[in-house]
Amino acid sequence: MAPTPALDRLLALAERHSVPLSLAVIPANAERSLADRLEPTGDVLVLQHGWAHKNHAPADRKSAELGDDRPLEAVLDELSRGHQRMSRMFGSRFLPVLVPPWNRISDSVAAKRVETGLPGLSCFKRLGTADRRLDTHIDPIAWRSGRTFAGWSTLADALDAEIDRRADDPTPIGILTHHLVHDEATWAFMETLLDVAAGHPAARWPHPVEAFGFVHT
């Protein structure tokens, strides 16, 4: 992973609206130039996106890198190597949170991830922050319909539903970005969403360090 114009656009968007940003970075593909690009930025953290974003599942199953299709020791060894590489490359900007490729992880890997130095976990569509898990809930991309913008009404309904679910639950609503595949409609949605949130008295952006239960020093 290296800097791109799309990344520059995402960083500018987050800075413009004073939103803390967490980038899921693939350790095996991360380039030093990415760390250099992030050096002057403010509230931008880096999370660990598996090891190589490589599918190890059989052809008749959904893609997964962190499933039960390999020996547990092999999966944990890769995650440990990834943690070491991310720590060296990104230093204090690296938050030890595991983001599974394709949002899939076996129960055994999830249970053992702490042994690899990754106490945090972030997937998709789950409430609650138990065991340092904090997920995302709004995805602006319609992956099964050409990987384009999911549509304003679809995302408005999804956001309304997530807000309703939090009547008695303080779990933050996680917003996914996929800056390398954003079309202009997706960028426009993100701009509008962050602009509305910035001016709404009931909206605030918790810092990821605290939201995941780490100590913010």
Side-chain angles (χ1 to χ4, degrees):
M1 298 182 70
T4 64
L7 176 61
D8 290 342
R9 189 170 182 176
L10 180 67
L11 295 174
L13 178 67
E15 182 178 6
R16 189 158 58 249
H17 294 281
S18 300
V19 175
L21 179 66
S22 297
L23 290 176
V25 174
I26 303 169
N29 301 341
E31 298 183 12
R32 182 68 218 179
S33 58
L34 178 59
D36 293 340
R37 172 63 184 88
L38 297 180
E39 186 63 31
T41 62
D43 254 347
V44 180
L45 296 174
V46 172
L47 313 183
Q48 184 171 331
H49 200 24
W51 163 245
H53 210 294
K54 182 178 179 181
N55 177 32
H56 294 279
D60 60 343
R61 296 178 59 182
K62 292 182 178 180
S63 298
E65 181 177 62
L66 307 180
D68 287 325
D69 308 295
R70 295 185 292 158
L72 178 60
E73 294 75 13
V75 178
L76 297 179
D77 178 66
E78 288 183 348
L79 291 179
S80 182
R81 283 190 286 147
H83 175 273
Q84 294 170 20
R85 190 162 197 264
M86 297 284 279
S87 296
R88 289 195 302 269
M89 187 172 294
F90 297 101
S92 61
R93 195 178 293 275
F94 171 50
L95 192 65
V97 172
L98 176 60
V99 181
W102 298 285
N103 284 300
R104 299 189 184 101
I105 184 170
S106 71
D107 290 342
S108 58
V109 175
K112 292 286 188 177
R113 72 183 189 277
V114 178
E115 298 179 9
T116 71
L118 297 165
L121 179 63
S122 183
C123 296
F124 189 68
K125 288 282 187 183
R126 174 174 166 177
L127 291 178
T129 56
D131 197 22
R132 288 187 176 175
R133 175 165 180 166
L134 186 63
D135 292 340
T136 52
H137 310 90
I138 302 297
D139 189 342
I141 304 296
W143 294 100
R144 298 181 180 178
S145 302
R147 292 158 52 108
T148 57
F149 178 53
W152 289 90
S153 60
T154 296
L155 293 172
D157 289 345
L159 189 55
D160 286 345
E162 292 298 334
I163 292 172
D164 289 343
R165 290 189 185 100
R166 284 158 180 79
D168 299 307
D169 190 322
T171 303
I173 298 174
I175 310 297
L176 271 173
T177 59
H178 307 278
H179 60 280
L180 294 178
V181 300
H182 281 189
D183 55 20
E184 287 303 318
T186 306
W187 284 114
F189 167 78
M190 294 302 304
E191 184 79 50
T192 300
L193 174 63
L194 299 190
D195 187 55
V196 170
H200 199 290
R204 72 179 185 89
W205 297 101
H207 197 281
V209 172
E210 292 149 352
F212 277 103
F214 294 97
V215 177
H216 196 181
T217 58

